[in-house]
Amino acid sequence: HRREEEGQGKKCKSNLYCTATVCGYPISIFFIVVNEFCERFSYYGMRAVLVLYFKYFLRWDDDFATTIYHTFVALCYLTPILGAIVADSWLGKFKTIIYLSIVYALGQVILAVSAIHDITDANKDGTPDNMGFHVALSMVGLILIALGTGGIKPCVAAFGGDQFGDHQEKQRSTFFSIFYLSINAGSLLSTVITPILRAQECGIHTQQKCYPLAFGVPAALMVVALIVFIVGSGMYNKTAPQGNIMVKVCRCIGFAIKNRFRHRSSQYPKRAHWMDWAEEKYDKLLIAQVKMVLKVLFLYIPLPMFWGSRWTLQATTMNGDFGILIIQPDQMQTVNPILILILVPIMDSIIYPLIAKCKLNFTPLKRMTVGMFFAALAFVAAALVQIQIDVRITHTHTNKKHTLGNLNTRDLMKLNSLQRRGGSKVSFCPQFKDITSKPEQGANAIRFLNGFASTVNVTVRNEDFGDIVTNNMSKYIAVPQGNAEFLIRNNAGQVCVYNQKFGFGSSYTYIITPTFAFGPNCQEGIRPVLDIRPNSIHMAWQIPQYFLITAGEVVFSVTGLEFSYSQAPSNMKSVLQAGWLLTVAVGNIIVLIVAEAATLPDQWAEYILFASLLVLVCIIFAIMAYFYTYIDPTKIEAQFAQKEPDEKQKRKSLEMARKDSVEHYKGDRRSSDSSSDSSSDEDDVIQQSKM
């Protein structure tokens, strides 16, 4: 009896059904969800200011900064394959998450240290003296972050799924929704908080934008994520790795292809599946597991098209004035995680149960198809908004009363700057050229034309237009939306304060006329000339397309995570999660390729192109999903596990029979050789007696 009790105790400790639960959920998943929230805050918080760090701290130009940024993001979605292989083949999910989280946190700390300008600022002028040192540290930090975040991506979701038993399918499905909520909650908070931290000024010798704080807080959150995950260690169900599974899978597939090619003649009987040609060398269990993975990976082929939206630039041509709140173009992206936090509970608690009560078979693949259709509708909505924007922009550039090519109005003719002493016109310098397109990021392009009798200096918000000599034009400076205070100074120290309120995306030329005079009424001597009207289409018109794409994402992405886990063999959960994440990387690459290859003249046409491609892919995926047969990997593996001893015994018997036949053949050869030797000896004796 004591042995039985000890056996039951051991069984209970290792059995998932004995795990402590809260409301039907294992306690361990709460540690996993908190860990994911902190990790996503860390990642998206760092990413929110990364391009600005490249541009304003490392002093890289826009193109190079953007290239490095996208390379880093792509690397973050390619490394999950490496993490999945390590988890399923060598360390297991738990140890992989621990070790790569340490690498991840180390990378975040190194990146935060690289942003401290005082480290190499020997002369204390606020500019690092050894920029190469900061660049090298930054690259080391980013490589470690890419390795860490990518490596743990496929493991955390799959590890969370491992905490549930076969009787907890409903709870597991809800877990993936909660897991996705934690991702977006971390993303939302970090993209709001981290830019605020960056805007602070800090430093030992000189005060600069506080990139160390903007990177340091995400680094601290990553350390918190690691600690939280370790605290829950004793409650986790840890699935042991089952050898180098990826190598086995690749070799199994390779052997099946080669064996099928060798037996391509019609004289050989066909087999049910081309992977069955690996039966001569590999276990039927492994072959069955490879079939499961290949079925799901085949379904993934059309999915990358879902992951492309290029709407951030559209917001830069729109008006973000919401009255009590001013929304900048890059902040409009926060609508997506906000809507996810709202829609995920609605889908799980209301929509899906309602569909189930209507007795509609809304399978995971059907959900994903609907999600892709929603995404296509979102691009159609984006195209309709873009058409209205283009119409307004066209009107902006027509009927202009003033262009710098013909500043010949009565007021401007007073400017002797346009006449040389001999009466011939002054040739225009580059600054005299009109801006021909909307300013970037919703800013306002502002310049000054000085018709005053002396040189003036103009500044606004720490931006310097420089000294503008008489009869000359300043460069353009991008001024953000809101109230701007221009300070106009002369060499005598006199100052004129000129206030102006700007919207989004306008362009003005301010003419300092010959009648300008410093004093209380100095503003009367400054004449604004509108070159490009401000944006008039409100950003609120983007909300419908964000709602559609978010609804599609909730239906598509959450279901995809759950589907990938439920259809994967027990020893390839992380590998299939990595395959799912790989579709994100491929999708972004496809978007860039299509956008570059299409070279469409109008942005709305590009949106229609993406909508058309999504509809096409949606139809293809629906057809593929129709022929897909859902499986229960656990049952299939159990069936083969029961057959495996018989198969092994049969294989062992065949092997023994083969060895016996070989030994028998060798024995016959030895007896034959000995008889021939004895007869030759007898001949020798007879021959000797005759002699």
Side-chain angles (χ1 to χ4, degrees):
H1 289 296
R2 185 178 177 183
R3 287 180 181 177
E4 288 179 3
E5 288 174 1
E6 288 177 355
Q8 288 176 356
K10 291 178 181 178
K11 183 178 180 181
C12 191
K13 287 179 182 178
S14 62
N15 192 350
L16 196 60
Y17 298 95
C18 301
T19 304
T21 61
V22 175
C23 300
Y25 295 89
I27 293 178
S28 56
I29 69 159
F30 295 101
F31 292 93
I32 295 170
V33 168
V34 173
N35 165 269
E36 183 66 12
F37 169 82
C38 294
E39 187 274 326
R40 290 291 85 187
F41 185 104
S42 175
Y43 174 74
Y44 284 108
M46 173 273 303
R47 220 176 79 170
V49 297
L50 192 58
V51 172
L52 297 176
Y53 171 71
F54 290 158
K55 183 176 180 179
Y56 296 112
F57 187 91
L58 298 183
R59 307 291 180 183
W60 291 347
D61 60 50
D62 289 354
D63 291 338
F64 189 64
T66 304
T67 300
I68 297 298
Y69 172 79
H70 284 296
T71 302
F72 166 71
V73 173
L75 191 60
C76 289
Y77 281 99
L78 291 174
T79 48
I81 293 293
L82 178 62
I85 294 173
V86 171
D88 282 343
S89 305
W90 179 28
L91 294 176
K93 300 182 191 72
F94 176 75
K95 288 184 179 179
T96 301
I97 294 170
I98 293 290
Y99 296 155
L100 289 182
S101 291
I102 294 171
V103 172
Y104 191 171
L106 182 62
Q108 290 276 34
V109 171
I110 291 174
L111 182 62
V113 171
S114 74
I116 303 174
H117 64 274
D118 293 304
I119 292 177
T120 60
D121 186 13
N123 56 7
K124 303 178 182 179
D125 64 348
T127 303
D129 299 327
N130 186 359
M131 191 61 76
F133 174 79
H134 293 274
V135 171
L137 270 186
S138 301
M139 294 303 101
V140 170
L142 289 176
I143 290 171
L144 292 177
I145 291 170
L147 183 63
T149 187
I152 68 174
K153 271 180 190 290
C155 303
V156 179
F159 188 68
D162 287 345
Q163 307 309 305
F164 296 88
D166 295 336
H167 66 296
Q168 295 175 302
E169 289 184 8
K170 183 180 178 181
Q171 287 89 340
R172 182 190 289 134
S173 176
T174 305
F175 160 74
F176 283 110
S177 296
I178 297 172
F179 185 82
Y180 203 72
L181 272 176
S182 69
I183 292 174
N184 286 277
S187 167
L188 173 61
L189 288 177
S190 63
T191 51
V192 171
I193 293 172
T194 310
I196 295 174
L197 298 176
R198 183 196 73 89
Q200 308 304 310
E201 293 191 347
C202 61
I204 299 173
H205 307 304
T206 57
Q207 297 291 302
Q208 303 280 346
K209 293 295 182 184
C210 206
Y211 289 102
L213 182 62
F215 291 140
V217 170
L221 262 291
M222 190 57 225
V223 174
V224 171
L226 177 59
I227 293 171
V228 169
F229 188 75
I230 293 174
V231 167
S233 174
M235 304 179 190
Y236 298 137
N237 174 51
K238 302 167 187 174
T239 305
Q242 301 183 21
N244 200 342
I245 192 65
M246 279 300 296
V247 174
K248 289 180 182 178
V249 169
C250 293
R251 286 179 177 174
C252 184
I253 293 172
F255 180 79
I257 294 172
K258 286 189 292 185
N259 200 31
R260 177 69 184 90
F261 183 76
R262 291 195 200 103
H263 300 86
R264 61 187 181 276
S265 174
S266 58
Q267 66 183 13
Y268 296 104
K270 292 183 178 181
R271 300 187 183 181
H273 192 281
W274 62 271
M275 275 303 304
D276 292 333
W277 289 96
E279 288 180 352
E280 282 82 354
K281 188 175 180 181
Y282 293 94
D283 294 334
K284 288 186 177 180
L285 174 59
L286 177 63
I287 294 171
Q289 290 171 331
V290 173
K291 287 179 184 178
M292 297 180 214
V293 170
L294 292 177
K295 278 181 68 177
V296 179
L297 290 179
F298 178 69
L299 277 176
Y300 284 174
I301 292 174
L303 300 188
M305 268 309 302
F306 179 85
W307 300 108
S309 65
R310 293 160 52 87
W311 297 345
T312 306
L313 294 179
Q314 186 185 61
T316 64
T317 59
M318 304 179 77
N319 178 13
D321 189 352
F322 284 79
I324 60 173
L325 186 65
I326 303 297
I327 301 295
Q328 298 298 327
D330 55 346
Q331 292 177 323
M332 196 63 187
Q333 298 178 76
T334 59
V335 173
N336 176 252
I338 290 172
L339 286 174
I340 286 176
L341 294 175
I342 296 171
L343 289 177
V344 168
I346 291 175
M347 289 290 183
D348 281 348
S349 303
I350 300 174
I351 304 298
Y352 293 154
L354 190 62
I355 293 173
K357 283 186 177 181
C358 294
K359 297 182 179 180
L360 296 174
N361 187 21
F362 199 37
T363 62
L365 293 180
K366 288 179 180 177
R367 293 183 194 178
M368 294 171 71
T369 305
V370 171
M372 297 179 78
F373 183 70
F374 274 138
L377 289 178
F379 275 99
V380 172
L384 294 175
V385 171
Q386 189 64 44
I387 289 171
Q388 292 302 312
I389 292 172
D390 292 346
V391 169
R392 300 295 177 91
I393 291 177
T394 302
H395 289 168
T396 294
H397 289 286
T398 58
N399 301 321
K400 284 177 60 180
K401 294 182 179 179
H402 305 293
T403 64
L404 292 182
N406 61 354
L407 288 176
N408 295 320
T409 63
R410 185 170 57 188
D411 291 332
L412 298 179
M413 284 297 291
K414 295 178 182 178
L415 298 176
N416 294 330
S417 60
L418 297 180
Q419 298 283 334
R420 288 188 187 274
R421 288 182 179 179
S424 61
K425 279 198 171 184
V426 176
S427 59
F428 291 137
C429 60
Q431 288 93 334
F432 275 65
K433 292 183 179 178
D434 271 336
I435 187 171
T436 57
S437 60
K438 281 278 186 181
E440 294 182 357
Q441 296 294 318
N444 302 275
I446 308 300
R447 62 183 173 178
F448 280 80
L449 177 61
N450 183 17
F452 188 52
S454 64
T455 300
V456 295
N457 177 274
V458 183
T459 58
V460 60
R461 297 184 181 181
N462 297 323
E463 293 283 351
D464 193 351
F465 287 86
D467 291 334
I468 312 170
V469 299
T470 304
N471 308 331
N472 212 333
M473 185 87 72
S474 75
K475 62 184 178 180
Y476 277 109
I477 281 186
V479 179
Q481 183 275 342
N483 293 314
E485 184 179 81
F486 296 94
L487 300 179
I488 304 170
R489 299 181 177 88
N490 62 8
N491 294 331
Q494 294 176 297
V495 179
C496 172
V497 179
Y498 183 77
N499 293 297
Q500 187 73 28
K501 184 177 181 180
F502 294 106
F504 290 85
S506 66
S507 176
Y508 285 89
T509 299
Y510 287 94
I511 303 168
I512 303 175
T513 64
T515 59
F516 172 81
F518 286 95
N521 300 320
C522 63
Q523 296 196 23
E524 296 177 1
I526 301 173
R527 175 174 177 174
V529 176
L530 177 63
D531 296 324
I532 298 177
R533 291 189 179 92
N535 303 340
S536 56
I537 301 293
H538 205 277
M539 284 186 193
W541 285 105
Q542 276 198 317
I543 293 177
Q545 67 203 50
Y546 270 107
F547 176 82
L548 288 169
I549 195 69
T550 305
E553 184 180 347
V554 168
V555 176
F556 178 88
S557 189
V558 177
T559 307
L561 281 171
E562 178 193 348
F563 176 79
S564 299
Y565 184 89
S566 66
Q567 299 295 291
S570 59
N571 57 348
M572 300 185 209
K573 301 286 187 186
S574 298
V575 172
L576 216 46
Q577 291 288 324
W580 171 257
L581 292 168
L582 191 61
T583 65
V584 181
V586 176
N588 283 281
I589 294 170
I590 288 175
V591 168
L592 292 173
I593 292 173
V594 170
E596 292 296 326
T599 61
L600 297 172
D602 298 310
Q603 185 64 52
W604 66 265
E606 183 179 305
Y607 292 147
I608 293 296
L609 173 62
F610 279 115
S612 303
L613 290 174
L614 271 169
V615 170
L616 177 63
V617 166
C618 184
I619 294 170
I620 294 172
F621 183 76
I623 295 171
M624 294 168 66
Y626 178 78
F627 291 101
Y628 183 86
T629 304
Y630 290 88
I631 58 172
D632 186 345
T634 306
K635 290 182 179 179
I636 294 175
E637 289 173 339
Q639 291 173 1
F640 279 98
Q642 292 174 357
K643 295 178 182 178
E644 193 173 357
D646 296 335
E647 293 290 333
K648 285 184 177 180
Q649 186 63 38
K650 189 184 294 183
R651 193 178 288 109
K652 188 175 181 180
S653 300
L654 290 172
E655 186 69 21
M656 290 294 294
R658 188 180 67 82
K659 286 182 180 180
D660 290 343
S661 64
V662 170
E663 290 296 328
H664 182 71
Y665 173 75
K666 287 181 179 179
D668 290 343
R669 286 289 303 273
R670 282 196 296 269
S671 60
S672 174
D673 292 342
S674 61
S675 62
S676 62
D677 290 343
S678 61
S679 56
S680 63
D681 291 342
E682 290 175 0
D683 291 342
D684 290 341
V685 171
I686 294 171
Q687 188 69 26
Q688 287 174 0
S689 63
K690 285 183 179 179
M691 292 175 63

